[in-house]
C-alpha cells in the first residue's frame, strides 16, 4: 500500500531560499505521487484497508458477538454478516462507551474522544468515536491540499494564509472522554499546535488567537492580525463559506475599533482580555503604532459599498478557500461580491466520522467541484440513490432509515461506482464504525486514474441550514406542531399549510423563515405576542446545533414566521404544476429555495413575527453535567 508522504519540516530560517524551495518542490512531488499511486489501484487498497480494520478488530464485541464475524476479513463475509447501519443502531454501544465502559466494544484501540457531529439524533449532536491514530490520517489528508493547489497557483509559499479558524465549546462524557467538534480537537492537538514551520501552514493568525475560547476575542484578534499583515496575505478562507462571511461582517461592524488599535499599536484592554492572545499579537505579529495603515483601512471600510473589500484590503489575495458545495452554495453570490469574483476554492470533503477526500481541480467552478475519495482513509461503500427531479421546489432527499435485505445487497464498492450515478456514502472506519451511513448523497462526476470523483449533492433529509445546523423535515414538522399546540390551539387556530426557507440574503446572520397559512376558527383576535411565542417554541424544539448557532456562535438570526393570506398554498401548487410537477403526486414542499417561489410567497405575506429572544442551549448533551467547558 502506498505510504502517505511524511510531514517534513521545511524552510527553517537557516535554509537559503533555494534550499527551501527544493524541499517544497520535493514534498509536493511526493504528495502528488501518493495521490497518483492510491488512485491507480483503489480496489487493492480498499481490500487491504478492510482487511486491516477487521483483523485489528476481530475481537471487538460488535463484530464478534453481535454479528458473529468470527475473524473473517474478506469483503464477501463482511457484507453478508455485518449490516448497513445508521447512528441509532449503535446508540447503545456509544452510550456505554460514553458512560465509561472501556472494554473493546467497537474498536480494539482505546476510544480517545468523541467527535460531536453537526448531524443530530434525537435533537442532540451525534457522538462519533475516534482513536488517537486517526489524527495522523486527518493530517495526511491536510498534507495533500497545498501540493495540489500549488500546481494551479504558484508561489503560495511566498506569503501567508489568512484563515479564520475557531474552537468551539467542549464537554466531557460521564465516563470522562472529551466530546468536541473534530476541528476543535485538531486545533488543540500537537499536530496543529506544534506543527513544524511550513510555508503552507503559515497563517496570519497566531495559534493563541485560534485557540482563544472567547469567540469575540478570537475573531477580533484574527482580523487585527490579518489587517496588520495584509500585504503578505496570498489566500484567505475559513472552513465553511458561512464562517468567512461572518468574519467580513464582523469587520463591517468593528472596523473603527480595529483601526483605533492599529493606530495606537496596542490592544484595547477592555476588548482583548485573554493574556495569551495579547502576548501573541504583540510579540508574534509585532503590533506597532501604524497610523498610515489605520487611515487606509478606515478609508476603505468607510466607503459606501463593500464590493471587493477583500481585494481592496488584501490586494495580493489569489483565491478564497472555503467550502461552497452543498448547502453552502447559498453564499456564493455574497462571496463573489466581497471578493470581486476571486476563485472560490473547495479543497476537501470531510466529516467527524472520517476525512474522505480532496478536490484535485481546485480552480474549477463551484458547481463543478468533485472530490476524489482517498482510498486509504477508510473502507467505502455506496448505496444507490434513485430520485425524481424536484422542479426546484424542494431540496431535500429522503431515504429509508433502515435497509431491507435486497437494499443491503445493492451496495457497491469504490471501484465499481458508475459515472453519473448517485449514491449514499457508507463507511467502515479504523475507529469502530462498520458500514455506517454518513448521510451524504454523492454523484460520480469522473475519475482520477481508477478512483471515482464525486460531486457533493446534498445531505439526505436536510431541509434547512444556515451554518453548521442541519434541520430535517421531521424535526421541523414536530417543532411546528409544538408551537401550534402550545400557543395557537387556545385560540382555536391551527396551521393549514406551511413551508420554510433559509434566508441568508435579507439579514445578517441568516435565519429560518416559516410561511404559515392559518386556519382560524376562533373569534378572538390573536395578539402578536402569541406568534412571537410560536417562533420561540419552534426554536426551543429544534436540535442543539441550531440552538448553539443562535446562542453561542451567533451564526443564526432569530426565527421568523410569516403569515400568508388564504389560498397562498393553492397558488404554490398551481405554480409547481406549471413547472411540471405531477398533480397526483404533489405534496407541499416543506422547504423552498427557488427564487420565483419565494417571491410568490413573499407577495402574499400579511404579517411577520420574530423570535423575541434566544432559545435555551448549554454545551454537551442534555443528560450530562457539564464539568468541562473551554
Ligand atoms: P460534521 O460531522 O459536523 O463534521 O459534518 C460533516 C458533514 O458536513 C458531511 O457529512 C457533509 O454533509 C458536510 N460537508 C463536509 N465537507 C463538505 C464539502 N466539502 N462539501 C459539502 N458538504 C460538506
Amino acid at each position: 500500500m502506498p505510504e502517505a508522504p511524511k510531514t517534513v519540516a521545511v524552510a527553517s530560517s537557516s535554509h537559503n531560499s533555494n534550499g527551501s524551495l527544493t524541499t517544497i518542490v520535493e514534498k509536493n512531488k511526493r504528495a502528488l505521487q501518493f495521490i497518483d499511486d492510491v488512485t491507480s489501484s483503489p480496489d487493492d487498497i480498499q481490500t487491504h484497508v478492510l482487511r486491516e480494520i477487521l483483523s485489528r478488530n476481530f475481537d471487538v464485541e460488535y463484530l464478534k458477538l453481535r454479528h458473529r464475524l468470527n475473524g473473517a476479513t474478506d469483503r464477501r463475509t463482511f457484507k453478508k454478516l455485518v449490516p448497513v447501519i445508521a447512528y441509532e443502531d449503535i446508540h447503545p454501544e456509544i452510550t456505554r462507551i460514553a458512560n465509561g465502559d472501556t472494554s473493546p466494544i467497537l474498536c480494539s484501540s482505546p476510544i480517545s474522544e468523541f467527535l460531536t457531529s453537526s448531524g443530530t439524533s434525537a435533537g442532540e449532536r451525534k457522538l462519533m468515536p475516534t482513536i488517537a491514530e486517526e489524527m495522523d490520517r486527518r493530517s495526511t489528508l491536510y498534507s495533500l491540499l497545498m501540493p495540489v493547489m500549488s500546481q494551479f497557483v504558484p508561489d503560495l509559499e511566498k506569503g501567508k494564509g489568512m484563515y479564520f479558524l475557531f474552537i468551539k465549546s467542549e464537554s466531557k462524557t460521564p465516563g470522562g472522554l472529551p466530546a468536541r467538534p473534530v476541528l476543535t480537537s485538531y486545533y488543540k492537538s500537537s499536530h496543529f499546535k506544534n506543527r513544524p514551520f511550513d510555508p503552507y501552514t503559515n497563517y496570519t493568525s497566531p495559534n493563541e488567537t485560534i485557540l482563544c475560547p472567547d469567540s469575540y476575542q478570537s475573531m477580533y484578534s484574527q482580523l487585527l492580525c490579518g489587517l496588520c499583515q495584509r500585504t503578505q496575505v496570498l489566500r484567505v478562507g475559513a472552513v465553511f463559506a458561512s464562517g468567512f462571511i461572518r468574519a467580513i461582517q464582523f469587520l463591517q461592524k468593528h472596523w473603527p475599533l480595529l483601526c483605533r488599535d492599529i493606530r495606537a499599536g496596542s490592544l484595547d484592554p477592555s476588548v482583548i482580555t485573554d493574556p495569551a492572545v495579547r502576548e501573541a499579537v504583540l510579540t508574534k505579529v509585532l503590533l506597532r503604532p501604524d497610523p498610515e495603515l489605520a487611515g487606509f483601512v478606515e478609508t476603505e471600510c468607510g466607503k459606501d459599498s463593500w464590493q471587493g473589500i477583500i481585494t481592496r484590503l488584501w490586494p495580493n489575495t489569489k483565491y478564497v478557500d472555503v467550502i461552497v458545495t452543498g448547502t453552502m452554495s447559498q453564499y456564493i453570490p455574497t462571496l463573489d461580491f466581497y471578493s470581486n469574483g476571486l476563485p472560490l476554492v473547495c479543497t476537501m470533503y470531510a466529516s467527524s466520522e472520517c476525512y474522505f477526500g480532496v478536490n484535485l481541480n481546485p480552480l474549477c467552478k463551484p458547481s463543478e467541484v468533485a472530490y476524489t475519495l482517498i482510498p486509504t482513509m477508510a473502507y467505502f461503500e455506496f448505496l444507490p440513490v434513485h430520485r425524481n427531479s424536484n422542479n426546484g421546489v424542494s431540496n431535500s432527499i429522503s431515504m429509508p432509515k433502515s435497509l431491507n435485505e435486497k437494499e443491503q445487497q445493492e451496495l457497491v464498492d469504490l471501484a465499481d461506482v458508475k459515472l453519473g450515478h448517485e449514491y449514499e456514502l457508507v463507511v467502515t472506519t479504523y475507529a469502530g464504525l462498520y458500514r455506517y451511513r454518513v448521510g451524504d448523497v454523492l454523484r460520480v462526476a469522473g475519475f482520477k486514474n481508477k478512483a471515482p470523483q464525486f460531486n457533493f449533492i446534498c445531505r439526505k433529509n436536510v431541509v434547512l441550514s444556515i451554518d453548521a445546523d442541519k434541520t430535517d423535515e421531521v424535526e421541523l414538522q414536530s417543532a411546528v406542531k409544538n408551537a401550534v399546540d402550545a400557543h395557537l390551539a387556545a385560540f382555536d387556530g391551527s396551521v393549514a399549510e406551511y413551508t420554510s426557507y433559509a434566508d441568508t440574503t435579507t439579514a445578517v446572520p441568516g435565519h429560518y423563515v416559516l410561511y404559515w397559512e392559518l386556519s382560524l376558527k376562533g373569534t378572538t383576535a390573536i395578539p402578536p405576542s402569541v406568534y412571537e411565542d410560536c417562533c420561540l417554541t419552534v426554536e426551543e424544539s429544534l436540535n442543539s446545533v441550531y440552538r448553539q448557532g443562535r446562542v453561542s456562535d451567533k451564526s443564526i438570526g432569530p426565527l421568523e414566521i410569516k403569515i400568508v393570506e388564504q389560498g397562498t398554498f393553492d397558488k404554490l401548487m398551481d405554480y409547481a404544476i406549471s413547472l411540471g410537477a405531477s398533480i397526483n403526486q404533489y405534496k407541499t414542499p416543506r422547504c423552498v429555495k427557488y427564487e420565483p417561489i419565494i417571491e410568490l410567497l413573499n407577495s402574499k405575506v400579511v404579517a411577520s413575527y420574530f423570535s423575541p429572544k434566544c432559545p435555551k442551549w448549554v454545551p454537551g448533551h442534555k443528560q450530562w453535567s457539564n464539568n468541562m467547558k473551554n
Side-chain angles (χ1 to χ4, degrees):
M1 186 159 83
E3 273 283 303
K6 298 273 178 293
T7 313
V8 198
V10 290
S12 77
S13 52
S14 60
H15 283 138
N16 63 31
S17 59
N18 277 346
S20 311
L21 195 61
T22 316
T23 323
I24 296 163
V25 170
E26 278 167 12
K27 204 176 139 197
N28 289 352
K29 234 169 95 183
R30 275 207 301 278
L32 297 174
Q33 186 61 51
F34 170 76
I35 294 173
D36 207 47
D37 291 345
V38 295
T39 53
S40 296
S41 52
D43 205 41
D44 293 348
I45 292 170
Q46 288 280 277
T47 305
H48 177 91
V49 166
L50 182 65
R51 199 181 303 138
E52 202 177 1
I53 293 174
L54 296 182
S55 54
R56 280 193 203 176
N57 295 306
F58 77 96
D59 217 12
V60 304
E61 193 185 305
Y62 183 78
L63 294 179
K64 191 175 167 183
L65 301 179
R66 196 160 152 190
H67 297 300
R68 311 259 166 218
L69 198 58
N70 215 7
T73 60
D74 63 290
R75 283 187 208 191
R76 218 170 62 86
T77 318
F78 175 65
K79 288 182 187 225
K80 198 164 138 219
L81 296 179
V82 179
V84 178
I85 55 157
Y87 184 76
E88 287 68 28
D89 297 301
I90 48 167
H91 192 243
E93 282 85 356
I94 298 277
T95 306
R96 276 170 58 204
I97 300 169
N99 286 340
D101 189 336
T102 54
S103 63
I105 299 174
L106 292 172
C107 186
S108 58
S109 306
I111 301 300
S112 53
E113 60 183 304
F114 280 110
L115 303 176
T116 55
S117 166
S118 56
T120 53
S121 165
E124 296 292 322
R125 284 172 177 270
K126 291 177 186 167
L127 297 174
M128 294 302 159
T130 193
I131 56 177
E133 69 167 57
E134 277 297 287
M135 199 63 90
D136 295 331
R137 239 167 245 115
R138 285 179 214 126
S139 298
T140 298
L141 202 88
Y142 284 128
S143 75
L144 305 177
L145 304 180
M146 290 308 287
V148 170
M149 199 65 223
S150 64
Q151 292 173 287
F152 301 89
V153 184
D155 297 336
L156 289 171
E157 69 284 354
K158 298 196 171 135
K160 294 192 176 191
M162 181 179 70
Y163 284 80
F164 300 105
L165 307 175
F166 302 93
I167 56 165
K168 288 196 177 187
S169 63
E170 62 181 68
S171 54
K172 272 204 170 172
T173 69
L177 289 173
R180 51 193 180 183
V182 60
L183 290 174
T184 300
S185 165
Y186 184 71
Y187 299 144
K188 287 186 171 181
S189 74
S190 59
H191 280 73
F192 181 78
K193 283 197 297 194
N194 305 328
R195 62 193 185 276
F197 178 80
D198 178 333
Y200 288 156
T201 55
N202 189 7
Y203 303 128
T204 52
S205 299
N207 289 353
E208 293 79 357
T209 62
I210 295 168
L211 294 169
C212 173
D214 180 303
S215 58
Y216 180 93
Q217 294 188 48
S218 178
M219 179 73 91
Y220 185 94
S221 56
Q222 292 194 52
L223 270 165
L224 184 70
C225 295
L227 288 168
C228 291
Q229 302 169 81
R230 68 184 203 95
T231 53
Q232 296 175 59
V233 171
L234 300 183
R235 54 202 166 104
V236 300
V239 180
F240 287 108
S242 53
F244 188 76
I245 288 173
R246 210 157 57 243
I248 298 301
Q249 280 153 357
F250 186 99
L251 179 63
Q252 217 154 8
K253 205 161 158 194
H254 298 289
W255 61 264
L257 216 55
L258 285 156
C259 289
R260 208 181 60 192
D261 281 355
I262 295 171
R263 182 166 282 115
S266 62
L267 287 159
D268 184 334
S270 66
V271 178
I272 303 294
T273 53
D274 185 318
V277 174
R278 294 186 65 82
E279 162 101 12
V281 175
L282 295 174
T283 61
K284 296 189 180 167
V285 180
L286 303 177
L287 180 65
R288 297 281 177 273
D290 193 340
E292 199 182 323
L293 175 62
F296 172 78
V297 176
E298 266 163 2
T299 308
E300 290 304 327
C301 293
K303 287 182 180 160
D304 284 343
S305 169
W306 268 50
Q307 180 166 11
I309 193 72
I310 296 177
T311 39
R312 287 197 262 138
L313 292 178
W314 295 280
N316 301 319
T317 307
K318 299 185 171 159
Y319 62 90
V320 183
D321 183 351
V322 283
I323 291 177
V324 285
T325 39
T327 55
M328 291 293 150
S329 60
Q330 60 195 329
Y331 295 104
I332 293 172
T334 313
L335 287 170
D336 282 343
F337 176 82
Y338 286 137
S339 73
N340 255 348
L342 280 176
L344 303 177
V345 167
C346 297
T347 56
M348 66 186 277
Y349 168 42
S351 78
S352 316
E353 291 89 334
C354 173
Y355 278 25
F356 305 119
V358 295
N359 176 3
L360 298 181
N361 186 17
L363 291 188
C364 69
K365 284 196 240 147
S367 58
E368 286 165 9
V369 170
Y371 299 102
T372 305
L373 298 201
I374 299 298
T376 52
M377 299 304 289
Y379 174 63
F380 300 111
E381 291 176 90
F382 299 86
L383 176 62
V385 171
H386 310 285
R387 63 180 175 123
N388 302 324
S389 111
N390 58 25
N391 299 314
V393 176
S394 166
N395 62 349
S396 152
I397 295 184
S398 48
M399 268 175 276
K401 270 216 144 49
S402 59
L403 302 182
N404 61 33
E405 198 62 26
K406 184 169 162 280
E407 286 163 332
Q408 297 260 359
Q409 304 305 320
E410 282 181 357
L411 269 76
V412 296
D413 281 315
L414 184 66
D416 298 328
V417 296
K418 296 208 166 54
L419 187 66
H421 288 218
E422 290 183 1
Y423 301 91
E424 187 190 332
L425 180 61
V426 173
V427 288
T428 295
T429 68
Y430 284 87
L433 297 176
Y434 305 94
R435 310 194 82 195
Y436 178 88
R437 296 170 72 176
V438 174
D440 291 342
V441 178
L442 310 175
R443 184 193 298 131
V444 183
F447 291 86
K448 160 74 179 174
N449 296 324
K450 291 186 178 153
Q453 303 181 301
F454 295 91
N455 300 134
F456 181 93
I457 301 300
C458 67
R459 182 140 182 124
K460 66 176 184 189
N461 301 340
V462 168
V463 287
L464 289 169
S465 174
I466 296 287
D467 188 31
D469 53 304
K470 300 174 173 74
T471 296
D472 70 32
E473 211 167 303
V474 177
E475 233 183 320
L476 183 63
Q477 167 77 29
S478 105
V480 169
K481 182 175 181 308
N482 287 348
V484 172
D485 291 352
H487 307 293
L488 288 189
F491 292 87
D492 225 356
S494 62
V495 173
E497 278 293 8
Y498 74 91
T499 191
S500 64
Y501 167 57
D503 182 351
T504 53
T505 49
T506 56
V508 175
H511 68 292
Y512 288 10
V513 177
L514 304 186
Y515 293 93
W516 282 9
E517 187 172 319
L518 300 175
S519 160
L520 299 173
K521 300 207 180 76
T523 47
T524 320
I526 302 179
S529 64
V530 172
Y531 292 113
E532 287 173 3
D533 290 344
C534 286
C535 294
L536 187 59
T537 301
V538 171
E539 293 201 299
E540 295 282 8
S541 308
L542 293 176
N543 60 70
S544 77
V545 182
Y546 174 87
R547 286 178 284 114
Q548 180 172 4
R550 281 281 283 127
V551 177
S552 167
D553 304 346
K554 312 248 182 293
S555 55
I556 306 175
L559 182 137
E560 181 180 12
I561 291 178
K562 291 184 175 180
I563 308 294
V564 293
E565 62 189 49
Q566 296 299 308
T568 299
F569 279 80
D570 285 342
K571 295 245 160 38
L572 183 68
M573 180 172 73
D574 294 344
Y575 188 75
I577 288 166
S578 78
L579 291 177
S582 149
I583 193 153
N584 293 322
Q585 290 167 346
Y586 179 80
K587 289 196 271 334
T588 303
R590 291 303 172 216
C591 172
V592 292
K593 62 173 187 177
Y594 187 48
E595 200 53 48
I597 290 190
I598 295 153
E599 276 169 24
L600 186 156
L601 289 165
N602 282 338
S603 71
K604 307 286 176 196
V605 172
V606 292
S608 141
Y609 306 94
F610 285 92
S611 200
K613 58 181 183 184
C614 280
K616 290 187 207 75
W617 173 81
V618 285
H621 276 216
K622 258 197 313 256
Q623 60 271 36
W624 306 341
S625 59
N626 287 293
N627 44 9
M628 185 179 161
K629 290 191 187 172
N630 277 303

